[in-house]
Amino acid sequence: MASHSANPINVGLSIFVAFVSALSLTGYPSEVYLYGTAQLWNAITVPIVMAFGCYTIHPVFYRTKSDSVFDYVKIRFGEDISKVCMASSLLSWGFFVSAAILSPSYAIKAVVVDSMRLDPQSNVVLYTVIIAMTVVCILYTYIGGMNAVIMVKV
């Protein structure tokens, strides 16, 4: 990630912040409300899974000089399985990014509609905010590269 020139701590923090997004901030309270404190199991299981990955999975990637899971899958299982994995990952991330953009867009829409006294039923403001957020994110990733994305999050 970032041409292997970024500080690993910054990369780790950036990945962490990417998953603690607006979805988490809006989703966790409702999870706790609906299911109680079951969400606290993440505080126990995530460090165990991370340790498992660091000591078992990471050395395999290091030995095979794989830059990603897809490279390893291509080496281990072939090109066709790798393409299936990439397609399913793209689909999954497409849903995640859509929800991650939509959640703060609703919040921005609420602020804009209230401050400008616009029609609350109009979705023009929502679509405008979604397009603006998407364009800004694409531009700062394109112009600054992954190092800029990592540094903005950290």
Side-chain angles (χ1 to χ4, degrees):
M1 187 180 261
S3 303
H4 301 284
S5 63
N7 183 346
I9 293 173
N10 289 346
V11 173
L13 287 173
S14 175
I15 292 170
F16 172 73
V17 169
F19 285 103
V20 181
S21 63
L23 289 176
S24 301
L25 295 176
T26 57
Y28 281 161
S30 61
E31 284 280 330
V32 171
Y33 179 76
L34 290 174
Y35 304 113
T37 57
Q39 197 68 5
L40 290 176
W41 279 104
N42 282 344
I44 297 169
T45 58
V46 168
I48 294 169
V49 170
M50 294 298 285
F52 175 79
C54 287
Y55 291 107
T56 58
I57 297 169
H58 186 264
V60 173
F61 285 168
Y62 187 77
R63 278 194 307 273
T64 60
K65 295 183 178 23
S66 299
D67 288 330
S68 69
V69 173
F70 303 117
D71 286 344
Y72 176 74
V73 169
K74 186 193 285 185
I75 293 168
R76 179 78 169 89
F77 299 106
E79 185 92 21
D80 294 336
I81 300 296
S82 177
K83 287 180 182 178
V84 169
C85 290
M86 284 185 211
S88 66
S89 179
L90 280 172
L91 184 67
S92 169
W93 276 103
F95 288 131
F96 176 79
V97 169
S98 299
I101 288 176
L102 188 63
S103 181
S105 295
Y106 273 121
I108 293 171
K109 177 192 173 206
V111 170
V112 168
V113 166
D114 287 346
S115 66
M116 300 179 87
R117 308 274 190 253
L118 297 172
D119 179 24
Q121 300 301 319
S122 173
N123 283 330
V124 174
V125 175
L126 179 65
Y127 297 141
T128 306
V129 170
I130 290 172
I131 291 168
M133 284 182 59
T134 305
V135 167
V136 166
C137 291
I138 289 170
L139 283 177
Y140 87 72
T141 304
Y142 178 74
I143 293 170
M146 284 308 294
N147 280 325
V149 174
I150 290 168
M151 294 313 295
V152 165
K153 289 180 181 177
V154 175

